[in-house]
Structures are given as structure tokens and as C-alpha cells.
Amino acid sequence: MELSILHFIQRFATPLLDNVFLAITVLGEPVAILVPILVIYYCYNKKMGLFLAFSSLTSQGVNAGVKALVGRGRPIGQPGIRSLRTQTAGGSSMPSGHTQGAVTLLYSIYKFVKQKSMLAVAVVIGVAVALSRLYLGLHWPTDVVAGFLLAMLVSEVCYRLFITTKRPWLLFTVAAAALFLLAWPTKGSAAFYKLTGAFVGLAAGAWFEDAAVRFTCETSLLKKLARVLLGALLLWLLDWGLSLVLPQTAVGGALRYGTMVFSAVGFIPLLFKKMSL
């Protein structure tokens, strides 16, 4: 049944649609999720930025856990299936990480701003990303449905947890501990260790920013643009440098992600304040 659905969708394949869906699927990739979070955190609403980081990282953890439990093969290589951009098809098939990532970000924004227009955006873009994964022959239909539903569930739970805490860094610390307990039995699962490191960095960065920085998003449009450009450049340079000095191991990945997130949340805003941006 699911193979027949994929065959039906790919009957309409053209070079133009290839390019359209290759572009759409990028909306579920890490950079497309990270950039809006940074822009919101640096320029629009600091608290909202922290919530989006929390929900997105939690969603990644849930996605990695379900993938490990289900262990479902992808449709790549199935008879009559043409698969494009296979380099984005890491791990098992269910649930779709691209669909879950895009919907988590957009539905979490909707939960925070409470605007029906944002809900419509979340649904439209979420469906488009899900369809792109089917058109590109990288997921089964039930994979993208599972990713969509899990994204909404995770966003709802994270929002309820986030709004009930006065110290977000404590919530992030608990999440880091929970992920570490999941990572330890896997004897070095790269995904769980990276996410654990990211949550440690998020907790430490949020604590440091609240204790020593306390920057505000109230500034001129030009300075907001400078924040985004400078922040992105510094994170890119830091990522490049850490990839050279840290070992390519699960622990090395955790240290790299933790340092990156701490810098993005705590240290770079300190630089903004020192530079009067």
C-alpha cells in the first residue's frame, strides 16, 4: 500500500518539481531550524528563543529514540522508487526527522504567539516538507505522518513545561540528565551524546545569560542585523575550530555541541552587550 502511494506521487516527477521539492526539503534541515531560533533569540524575544531551542532539541531526542526503537528501513532501492538527496537520509526511516523538525519549530512558534495565521503556516509548510520526503523517495507515508504528530505532541508538552518554570536553565538541566541516562546504555550513541551536550550548553548558557548578561532585544534594526551576521559568523568559526581540535567521537561531539550552544546562548550575547549592539 505505502509503496503504491510512493509510486503514484513519483508519477508526476519532472525536473522542475525535482528542484521545487529539493528546495522545500531543506526547510526541515538543521540550518533552516537554527537560523530562525537565533534570529528570534537575538532580535525578537529572548524567552521565545529559549523555548524554541528547548522544544527543537527535545524533538530531536524523541526522534532519535523512536528511530532506534523502530529501526525501519527506508524506501531507497525499492523497485520503481527514485531517491534524491540521499545524503540527508541518515538513520532509520520512522519517524521523518525533516518533517518532525520543521513542524516542531513552526508549531512551537504558534504555541508561543497564539496566532491562527501561524498555525496555518505550520500546517502548510509541514505538509510541504512531508510531501517532499515522499516525492524524493526517502520516507514511507507513515514516517511523515508519525513525524508530524510527534512534533505537535512534543511541542505541546514542552510548552506546558516551559511556561510553568521560572528558571528555564533548571528545566534544561533535567532534560540533559534524562538524555544522558538514555545515552549511557547505548555505549556511545553519537546522536544522544550530541543532544546531551547541547542541553548542557543550553542550560549553562541560559544560566550565564540570566546571571551575568541580561541582554535585551530592544535595539535598532541595523544593530539586529549586525547581531545575526556576527553571531552566525562566530558560530561558524567556532564550529570549524572545534571540529579540528576535538576527537571525532561521541564524547567529542557532545563537547562540540555543548560549547556551540553555550556560546550562542550566553557568550555571544555578552559580546553584543560589550559592543553596544
Side-chain angles (χ1 to χ4, degrees):
M1 176 64 178
E2 292 196 68
L3 186 59
S4 298
I5 294 174
L6 294 181
H7 284 153
F8 175 76
I9 292 172
Q10 293 199 339
R11 282 174 53 191
F12 301 96
T14 66
L16 175 60
L17 284 179
D18 287 355
N19 290 325
V20 168
F21 283 114
L22 284 169
I24 290 173
T25 207
V26 171
L27 296 175
E29 294 180 8
V31 172
I33 295 170
L34 174 62
V35 171
I37 293 175
L38 288 179
V39 170
I40 290 170
Y41 181 69
Y42 291 155
C43 305
Y44 177 66
N45 187 310
K46 187 167 57 176
K47 186 176 181 180
M48 180 179 175
L50 288 177
F51 166 60
L52 295 178
F54 171 55
S55 62
S56 292
L57 287 175
T58 302
S59 189
Q60 287 184 46
V62 171
N63 185 269
V66 176
K67 280 181 181 289
L69 287 173
V70 176
R72 187 185 199 187
R74 293 177 181 269
I76 299 171
Q78 290 291 321
I81 296 299
R82 182 188 64 143
S83 297
L84 302 176
R85 200 170 170 79
T86 54
Q87 67 270 27
T88 67
S92 61
S93 193
M94 177 181 278
S96 166
H98 281 66
T99 305
Q100 189 170 334
V103 175
T104 298
L105 174 66
L106 297 170
Y107 190 78
S108 294
I109 294 175
Y110 157 69
K111 289 298 296 181
F112 204 92
V113 301
K114 300 271 192 294
Q115 295 177 0
K116 290 185 178 179
S117 59
M118 190 62 230
L119 176 59
V121 170
V123 171
V124 170
I125 293 181
V127 169
V129 172
L131 184 58
S132 77
R133 304 307 284 173
L134 302 180
Y135 177 92
L136 297 176
L138 301 175
H139 279 287
W140 302 102
T142 47
D143 297 341
V144 298
V145 171
F148 205 110
L149 295 178
L150 277 174
M152 295 177 68
L153 176 61
V154 169
S155 299
E156 290 282 353
V157 172
C158 286
Y159 181 72
R160 292 177 187 276
L161 291 172
F162 188 83
I163 62 174
T164 57
T165 181
K166 293 182 179 179
R167 295 180 177 85
W169 62 269
L170 283 176
L171 178 61
F172 306 154
T173 302
V174 172
L179 275 169
F180 179 76
L181 291 175
L182 290 173
W184 186 259
T186 65
K187 298 180 180 180
S189 169
F192 281 117
Y193 272 93
K194 286 178 181 177
L195 286 169
T196 301
F199 262 117
V200 170
L202 184 62
W207 172 83
F208 177 76
E209 194 286 324
D210 184 58
V213 182
R214 298 203 169 206
F215 79 101
T216 175
C217 295
E218 299 297 326
T219 188
S220 69
L221 181 60
L222 186 61
K223 288 186 177 181
K224 288 181 178 181
L225 178 61
R227 283 183 177 186
V228 173
L229 294 177
L230 178 60
L233 176 62
L234 290 175
L235 288 173
W236 180 80
L237 290 172
L238 180 61
D239 186 42
W240 174 75
L242 291 174
S243 67
L244 294 178
V245 299
L246 291 176
Q248 300 298 312
T249 62
V251 174
L255 290 172
R256 178 182 169 194
Y257 275 68
T259 303
M260 292 279 292
V261 175
F262 171 80
S263 299
V265 174
F267 182 69
I268 291 177
L270 177 62
L271 291 181
F272 294 160
K273 197 169 183 179
K274 295 293 185 181
M275 297 170 67
S276 299
L277 287 180

